[in-house]
Amino acid sequence: MDEWYLEPVFFAIVAVALVVLLLIIWLSVLGSRLKKLRKQYVAVMGNTGITNIEDVVVEMKGQIEAQRNRIETLQHQLQTVQSALPHMKSKLGIIRYNAFSDGGSDLSFSLAIMNDEKDGAVFSGLHSRDNTYVYAKPIEKGQSSYPLTPEERKAIEIAK
């Protein structure tokens, strides 16, 4: 029995040991893959409290549809604002001046309020020692059907 390593039992033990070693390696590889898959699963599921991924997909689909509806609503509102914006009287031009040489300082004014299409009005306040008079003239395409003073024209130019 000098050659114990030539016995069939020895070969069987060595073969079983190799199989066990291969199974241990395979289990460690599977364990690392399972750990990576578990991390990905937790990243997707988060703290939703839902254990079924189908429920998560259905919930996400509902949220996406709600977001689409909200985006459509916002786009409609944006179009409404963009269509109304050119008609808003947002251009202002003001000039102060001394209308009469007999008193005071630059207490008279001309104020032009117009939109992008140069429609609006020009207001003039003429201040004298005794009274202040305010006049309004409509503006269409930068012009008025009433005669404009040089100060009113300058206020319109500033507003443009």
Side-chain angles (χ1 to χ4, degrees), residues 20-33:
V20 167
L21 184 63
L22 287 174
L23 286 175
I24 290 172
I25 293 170
W26 187 46
L27 281 176
S28 65
V29 169
L30 287 179
S32 66
R33 285 184 182 174

Side-chain angles (χ1 to χ4, degrees), residues 18-121:
L18 286 174
V19 168
V20 167
L21 184 63
L22 287 174
L23 286 175
I24 290 172
I25 293 170
W26 187 46
L27 281 176
S28 65
V29 169
L30 287 179
S32 66
R33 285 184 182 174
L34 183 61
K35 186 177 180 181
K36 182 179 176 183
L37 185 61
R38 180 91 173 135
K39 282 183 182 180
Q40 291 174 345
Y41 178 78
V42 168
V44 169
M45 298 300 282
N47 294 326
T48 60
I50 302 171
T51 57
N52 187 353
I53 197 160
E54 290 176 11
D55 295 338
V56 172
V57 171
V58 169
E59 182 181 334
M60 288 179 143
K61 186 177 178 185
Q63 289 175 354
I64 288 171
E65 188 62 33
Q67 290 298 324
R68 281 189 184 134
N69 292 338
R70 181 73 177 138
I71 288 171
E72 287 176 10
T73 303
L74 290 173
Q75 285 176 338
H76 178 64
Q77 290 174 350
L78 179 62
Q79 289 173 349
T80 303
V81 168
Q82 285 177 334
S83 65
L85 194 60
H87 303 290
M88 293 181 68
K89 310 294 191 259
S90 60
K91 307 282 185 185
L92 299 176
I94 189 165
I95 183 166
R96 292 177 57 114
Y97 54 93
N98 188 357
F100 305 105
S101 61
D102 63 341
S105 58
D106 293 344
L107 297 176
S108 297
F109 67 91
S110 289
L111 170 67
I113 302 173
M114 301 186 318
N115 61 12
D116 289 339
E117 297 168 353
K118 299 177 186 160
D119 296 335

